[in-house]
Amino acid sequence: MTSQGLPYAEVIGDPISHSKSPVIHNYWLGELGIEAEYRKTHVTRDGLATYFLQRRADPDWLGCNVTIPHKVAVMDYVDDPSDIRGQIGAMNTIACETGGPLIGTNTDAGGFLQPLETMGWRGKEAVLVGAGGAALAIGFALAAKGMEHLTVMARDAAKGQALLDHVGLKGRVIGFADPLPSTRLLINSSPLGMTGQLSLDLDLAPLAEDATVYDIVYAPLETNLLKAARARNLATIDGLAMLIGQAALAFEIFFDAIPPREDDDAELRALLTAPAE
């Protein structure tokens, strides 16, 4: 059911209580005076088919964002005219056209690149922690920007190699007990460090002195990985950067409007980091 018949979009995942996406989208909707809403909905893997069947029948539903662990599984339920399956292998945004098909796309790739492009990063090698849906989008984005060598840190070596093969990058796969190479960009795309998950504790000593550490985890915002990076005076990018960046692209798809982004999203960041009442 919808709330008072308002058009709405939402984010689905399992778990979903940690998601800050509703804060972002509803803030932009309020700033623009758009009468619509954005919510979060808990959907299990076994519940995906029923979820999409129900939403297809809802005239107020505009689509959804997709978070852990459904970014690969949702591809079985939507149309893929841009070959997101072939190019990236994961989807995080599903758009619904009235009376038409559900269209899957991926805004993670563009959202991931935004802060790197803002800081003018132009490296040719990186280390990527994780090999899941977010990692696929990040690998694709890095390949598109001319990455030449990617080291994937993964528990499952075969999955890590499959990621490299899928995005067409040269590289190697290492385990969590292996030392980091001397790289200028380290990215955590895994859930490690997230509230309720195991911490990601890496020895950052091998990283270059001018390295950037980019952690896409945003709950908590100050992860142990970022604390360790700042202790070494390394440049850091937190999880809100990618979260807001991908949300901005999805917002345009759902609500056909460009979200207001001013002063490096300062007011929005203040909302997202405010203590819970």
Side-chain angles (χ1 to χ4, degrees):
M1 294 179 63
T2 62
S3 175
Q4 300 177 345
L6 286 176
Y8 72 100
E10 59 194 334
V11 58
I12 64 170
D14 180 23
I16 198 59
S17 61
H18 68 283
S19 177
K20 294 182 182 292
S21 291
V23 176
I24 299 172
H25 287 267
N26 287 321
Y27 169 77
W28 286 334
L29 289 170
E31 289 292 294
L32 295 174
I34 297 175
E35 292 192 6
E37 67 176 349
Y38 187 100
R39 61 180 70 158
K40 54 188 171 185
T41 300
H42 180 231
V43 179
T44 65
R45 175 66 180 87
D46 292 340
L48 280 174
T50 299
Y51 168 80
F52 283 116
L53 183 64
Q54 292 175 341
R55 290 301 191 265
R56 280 177 183 271
D58 188 341
D60 294 325
W61 186 64
L62 302 174
C64 67
N65 286 123
V66 183
T67 189
I68 295 172
H70 302 321
K71 293 184 180 185
V72 175
V74 293
M75 294 190 295
D76 293 336
Y77 301 94
V78 301
D79 286 7
D80 183 17
S82 299
D83 190 29
I84 300 300
R85 181 188 290 272
Q87 294 187 70
I88 299 179
M91 294 176 177
N92 80 315
T93 303
I94 311 300
C96 177
E97 295 290 341
T98 304
L102 302 184
I103 303 297
T105 189
N106 193 304
T107 64
D108 276 340
F112 165 78
L113 284 177
Q114 283 184 7
L116 288 175
E117 292 175 336
T118 298
M119 68 186 296
W121 195 87
R122 292 291 184 272
K124 296 297 184 181
E125 61 178 8
V127 175
L128 177 61
V129 180
L136 284 165
I138 290 170
F140 170 82
L142 291 172
K145 294 299 290 185
M147 181 67 58
E148 294 179 354
H149 188 280
L150 183 64
T151 299
V152 178
M153 178 177 282
R155 288 197 177 91
D156 185 336
K159 192 173 181 181
Q161 186 60 52
L163 184 150
L164 289 171
D165 294 342
H166 189 89
V167 301
L169 279 174
K170 295 181 180 178
R172 65 189 181 108
V173 181
I174 62 175
F176 282 86
D178 296 322
L180 293 171
S182 179
T183 185
R184 294 180 56 242
L185 179 61
L186 170 67
I187 308 145
N188 176 35
S189 72
S190 78
L192 294 174
M194 183 187 296
T195 301
Q197 300 285 337
L198 295 174
S199 177
L200 177 59
D201 299 309
L202 301 176
D203 179 6
L204 304 185
L207 297 183
E209 292 184 358
D210 61 346
T212 296
V213 176
Y214 190 159
D215 195 340
I216 74 168
V217 169
Y218 60 84
L221 188 60
E222 182 77 355
T223 63
N224 286 345
L225 179 64
L226 292 184
K227 289 178 183 177
R230 288 170 185 149
R232 270 205 60 201
N233 294 317
L234 301 177
T236 59
I237 301 174
D238 64 37
L240 288 187
M242 178 173 170
L243 180 68
I244 294 172
Q246 63 81 25
L249 298 173
F251 186 90
E252 292 188 48
I253 293 171
F254 297 142
F255 304 108
D256 196 26
I258 298 174
R261 302 187 63 185
E262 301 175 351
D263 300 322
D264 294 323
D265 303 304
E267 187 171 341
L268 179 54
R269 276 180 164 268
L271 282 175
L272 290 167
T273 56
E277 297 182 356

